[in-house]
Amino acid sequence: MIYFRYMSLHFRSQLQYRASFWLLTLGQFFIPFSVFAGLYLMFERFGQLQGWSFFEAALCFAVIHLAFSLSECFARGFDSFSSLVGGGEFDRLLVRPRSTAVQVLGSRFEFNRIGRLVQSAIVLVWAVSSLPVAWTAAKAFTLVLMIVGGTLIFTGIYMLAATLCFWTIQGLEVANIFTDGGREMAQYPLNIYQKWVTVFFTFIIPFGCVSYLPLLFILDRVQGPPLLYMLMPLGGAVFVLPCLLVWLVGVRYYRSTGS
C-alpha cells in the first residue's frame, strides 16, 4: 500500500510541470525507435535471421523492451540508490518502521518512461496481429508471464547494483553491462549468438527464460514438454529472490557514511 502512495505522490509532483513531462515522454517514445528501425531495415535487407522472421524477432524485441521500460518506470529507486547513500538520506529510511526495499523502490519513479512503454506496446500488438499463431489462453498467459518475468530480472539487477553502494558509496557503471547490455542481447532470439552467450543469459542472468525459450512455445517450435516452456518466465521470480536476500545482507552490515 505504501508503495502505491509513493507512486501517487511522485506522479502528482511530476505533473506539476506538464509541458516538461509530456515532452520528456514524447522523447522517450522516439529513443528506442532508432533501434527498432535498425531491426526492420536489417530484415528488409536479409529477409530472415537464423530462421527467424521479422515479426518473430519483433515479438522478442517488444517483450524485452516492455519489461525494461516497466522496471525503469517503477523500480528506478534502486538505480539511483547511490545518491541516497552518499547524501546520508538512507540513514533516515532505516529509522522508519517500513521495509527498506519498499522505501528505496518508492524513492523515485520515472513516469516519462511511459513513452518507451507505449512504443514497445505498439510493436507487440503489430507482431502479435501479424504472426500466423493460433493464440490460446495458455499462450496469452505465457506472453504476460514473459513481460512480468523480464521486469523482475531487470529489477533484480538494479537491486544487486544498489547493494554494492553499501561498500562503494557510488554506483558502478558495470551494472549497465547487464541492464543495457542484457536488453540489447535479449531483444533477439538467443540462438543467433555463440553458445556461451546463450548459456550465460539463460543460467546466470535468465533473460533467455523470459524471451527465447517461452517464445519457442508460443511459435509452436518446442522440442520437449510445452508446460516446461510455459513456466520458464518464472525464472524471473527465482532470480529476484536471491537478489533481495543479498540486499538484506547489505542493509544488515551497512554503517552510516556520517554525511
Side-chain angles (χ1 to χ4, degrees), residues 3 70-80 105 108-109 151 154-155 158:
Y3 175 78
L70 287 169
S71 64
E72 273 209 314
C73 191
F74 300 110
R76 203 60 192 269
F78 281 110
D79 193 32
S80 58
L105 203 60
R108 185 176 176 184
F109 293 93
T151 306
F154 282 116
T155 303
Y158 284 142

Side-chain angles (χ1 to χ4, degrees), residues 222-230:
V222 291
Q223 296 178 348
L227 184 61
L228 180 63
Y229 288 85
M230 286 174 59

